[in-house]
Amino acid sequence: MSYLFNTPEQQQEMLQTIGIDSLEALFSTIPADLRLDRPLDLPPALSEMELQTHLSQLASQNVGPTSRICMLGGGAYDHFIPAAVDEIARRGEFYTAYTPYQAEASQGSLQTFFEFQSLICQLTGMDVSNASLYEGGTCVSEAAFMAMRVTNRHDRVVLLGSLHPEYRQVVETYLRHLNCEVVIVPCKDGSVDPADVDAAMDDQTACLVIQHPNFFGTLEEAAELTEIAHRYGALSVVSYDPISLGILKRPGDYGADIAIAEGQSLGTPLQFGGPYLGLFSCSEKFVRRMPGRLIGQTVDRNGKLCYVLNLQAREQHIRRDKATSNICSNQGLIAIRAAVYLSLLGKQGIREVAELSCQKAHYAAEQLSSVEGIELLFPERPFFKEFVVSCSEGADYLLRKARQAGFDLGPELSRFTFENCPENYQTGVLVAITEQRTREEIDRLVTVLKA
């Protein structure tokens, strides 16, 4: 967006239009102690050429995943993005802030979101998907609210201790003033014991929230945990890694009621905080309780195929207290990127990405654990593409040594708070390996750490 300025003459013209004679009068409603009574402390103005040079120098100090070797995990991953994703998603007609309320003006956007929903259903094995939410964390809280509406139980939800700690914080923030108890099942050794989950459930629990693969990268007994949830009349909410479904069972295949995910790995590059993409799908019998937008396919009065916004249980359309969510927007452009990515790769492509990530991660885990002083924190647990290592010299030493050689690992687990988990979790460091990493890179990291 261009910087818009105005001259003193233009300021006077605007002030006269609204019927006052000075800027002082315009700002008179702002308390004096909140107003700055001096000019802004800015350096002298630069010419356009000087400014461009200055900004280029600042930008050159940035370091991104393309300039270093990224093995970062914890919810956002460095997967390969085909060039066609950018080429298609950057089409001008997709770059719009307009929301697709009016079918007569938004057929292209509506069709795109309908196809996105269809692809998410195929990916997860669920019956219906919405047109996306903000990101993975808010998906968890929206799923908990939806479970409360479905079960008419509003006092208790159960989360696995292996759920992403930031997702847990989002849920706790949403529920803090609603008198809803949030129960955390201990994660003793990289994943939870189903017997502990069973002990935590009761007939007042609205849902059991599972992450599979979990925050530590290991696999949970998702099918058994889903059965436990159903035994108590609660909904099974599964947070999944979209790429993992290339080789793992889909949530719909083992009876999950709600499947949610962070969709960044589907064609969106690593960005500092987003925007990312919330994937939300569920069983058809709960569709009228689902938050967000749902795009449907129908025919017009001439029998021509068209797309519409269905089941609009949102604040703009019904009474606020009857809305299914306080989220009234979807991540349209990021959802388009995900739809393009999934369309380009197809079922076989997703499987290949998953297999490569899994195989390379296991090779990396084996090689790293051969370094003296480094060991896997959960050696007995199966994992997908991410694992936790512990260093006898400390997490800071490990991260610094890798960083100096051009490798980015982490995050370190000490950044987070894990309730009801052993203290040794604080010594761990997450390592994520995607299909982009090569054997040469992994071997080079091991050589650096052995030196």
Side-chain angles (χ1 to χ4, degrees):
M1 177 182 290
S2 302
Y3 174 68
L4 301 178
F5 60 91
N6 49 63
T7 64
E9 292 75 17
Q10 289 171 324
Q11 289 180 11
Q12 284 303 315
E13 184 179 350
M14 287 188 287
L15 292 171
Q16 289 173 8
T17 299
I18 60 177
I20 55 178
D21 56 8
S22 68
L23 286 175
E24 183 66 24
L26 177 65
F27 299 134
S28 61
T29 56
I30 301 175
D33 58 340
L34 298 179
R35 294 165 61 182
L36 191 67
D37 58 357
R38 59 172 174 76
L40 292 174
D41 184 17
L42 296 175
L46 299 176
S47 69
E48 182 176 356
M49 185 170 65
E50 292 171 329
L51 181 61
Q52 285 193 2
T53 301
H54 177 62
L55 291 176
S56 296
Q57 290 172 343
L58 291 177
S60 67
Q61 298 178 39
N62 288 331
V63 175
T66 57
S67 54
R68 296 172 60 83
I69 298 173
C70 179
M71 297 182 180
L72 294 167
Y77 304 96
D78 182 34
H79 284 287
F80 176 73
I81 301 173
V85 174
D86 282 334
E87 189 66 25
I88 296 172
R90 285 175 179 168
R91 289 177 63 95
E93 55 266 47
F94 291 140
Y95 272 73
T96 173
Y98 183 74
T99 49
Y101 297 139
Q102 296 171 283
E104 64 273 25
S106 307
Q107 280 300 292
S109 296
L110 291 169
Q111 180 178 356
T112 304
F113 295 133
F114 179 81
E115 292 177 356
F116 165 81
Q117 294 171 178
S118 302
L119 289 162
I120 297 303
C121 288
Q122 291 177 29
L123 181 71
T124 60
M126 304 299 287
D127 298 324
V128 290
S129 164
N130 70 14
S132 77
L133 295 179
Y134 288 153
E135 38 70 67
T138 47
C139 277
V140 181
S141 58
E142 291 293 336
F145 281 127
M146 178 175 161
M148 292 178 190
R149 294 190 294 271
V150 169
T151 62
N152 199 28
R153 301 173 179 178
H154 300 270
D155 300 328
R156 198 168 190 273
V157 298
V158 176
L159 315 181
L160 299 194
S162 55
L163 180 69
H164 195 307
E166 292 175 345
Y167 293 2
R168 190 195 71 226
Q169 289 179 329
V170 174
V171 174
E172 291 173 335
T173 300
Y174 270 81
L175 299 181
R176 182 168 300 161
H177 300 293
L178 296 180
N179 295 321
C180 178
E181 181 186 12
V182 179
V183 178
I184 311 296
V185 180
C187 177
K188 299 174 181 174
D189 193 18
S191 58
V192 300
D193 185 336
D196 291 338
V197 176
D198 189 80
M201 299 291 291
D202 65 20
D203 59 5
Q204 293 303 308
T205 303
C207 64
L208 171 64
V209 180
I210 305 161
Q211 185 172 345
H212 171 68
N214 64 31
F215 176 69
F216 308 108
T218 67
L219 306 186
E220 299 285 359
E221 298 291 344
E224 183 177 353
L225 297 175
T226 292
E227 290 180 7
I228 292 173
H230 291 167
R231 192 184 308 152
Y232 289 91
L235 298 194
S236 167
V237 177
V238 176
S239 176
Y240 59 92
D241 177 336
I243 297 297
S244 75
L245 301 186
I247 55 175
L248 297 181
K249 271 190 175 181
R250 303 176 299 174
D253 294 337
Y254 51 81
D257 300 297
I258 302 173
I260 52 179
E262 169 52 61
Q264 174 271 331
S265 55
L266 303 178
T268 297
L270 288 170
Q271 302 171 96
F272 193 75
Y276 284 161
L277 173 69
L279 309 180
F280 197 109
S281 55
C282 70
S283 170
E284 185 176 10
K285 58 186 174 183
F286 304 134
V287 64
R288 290 185 177 276
R289 305 285 186 171
M290 186 170 65
R293 293 190 171 114
L294 182 68
I295 311 302
Q297 187 184 73
T298 184
V299 293
D300 64 13
R301 60 183 178 182
N302 298 317
K304 295 176 63 176
L305 194 67
C306 61
Y307 301 89
V308 294
L309 196 61
N310 281 359
L311 303 176
Q312 303 175 48
R314 301 179 301 115
E315 291 177 356
Q316 294 98 327
H317 303 103
I318 62 175
R319 288 209 317 267
R320 184 184 182 91
D321 60 333
K322 296 295 183 183
T324 55
S325 169
N326 64 357
I327 289 181
C328 3
S329 297
N330 66 306
Q331 290 282 32
L333 191 59
I334 311 298
I336 289 171
R337 296 185 66 91
V340 175
Y341 178 88
L342 288 169
S343 301
L344 289 170
L345 267 69
K347 184 176 181 180
Q348 182 60 29
I350 292 291
R351 182 179 183 85
E352 290 178 8
V353 173
E355 287 178 342
L356 287 170
S357 300
C358 185
Q359 292 166 0
K360 293 181 177 183
H362 281 74
Y363 175 75
E366 180 182 345
Q367 296 303 308
L368 286 172
S369 58
S370 70
V371 179
E372 185 177 355
I374 295 178
E375 60 181 8
L376 299 181
L377 198 56
F378 312 118
E380 305 299 325
R381 299 294 183 186
F383 62 92
F384 169 51
K385 68 179 183 188
E386 196 169 10
F387 53 92
V388 182
V389 296
S390 178
C391 178
S392 59
E393 300 285 344
D396 288 344
Y397 172 83
L398 173 63
L399 293 173
R400 185 172 61 255
K401 195 166 185 179
R403 193 178 299 124
Q404 289 171 348
F407 295 85
D408 289 322
L409 314 180
E412 61 270 42
L413 300 190
S414 59
R415 280 180 46 183
F416 307 98
T417 301
F418 300 100
E419 292 190 12
N420 302 325
C421 292
E423 291 185 1
N424 69 335
Y425 280 28
Q426 301 300 318
T427 66
V429 172
L430 278 168
V431 180
I433 305 294
T434 69
E435 80 283 9
Q436 295 215 84
R437 301 286 67 85
T438 65
R439 180 170 182 157
E440 184 273 336
E441 290 172 343
I442 295 169
D443 290 344
R444 187 147 52 91
L445 172 62
V446 171
T447 301
V448 166
L449 296 177
K450 283 183 176 177

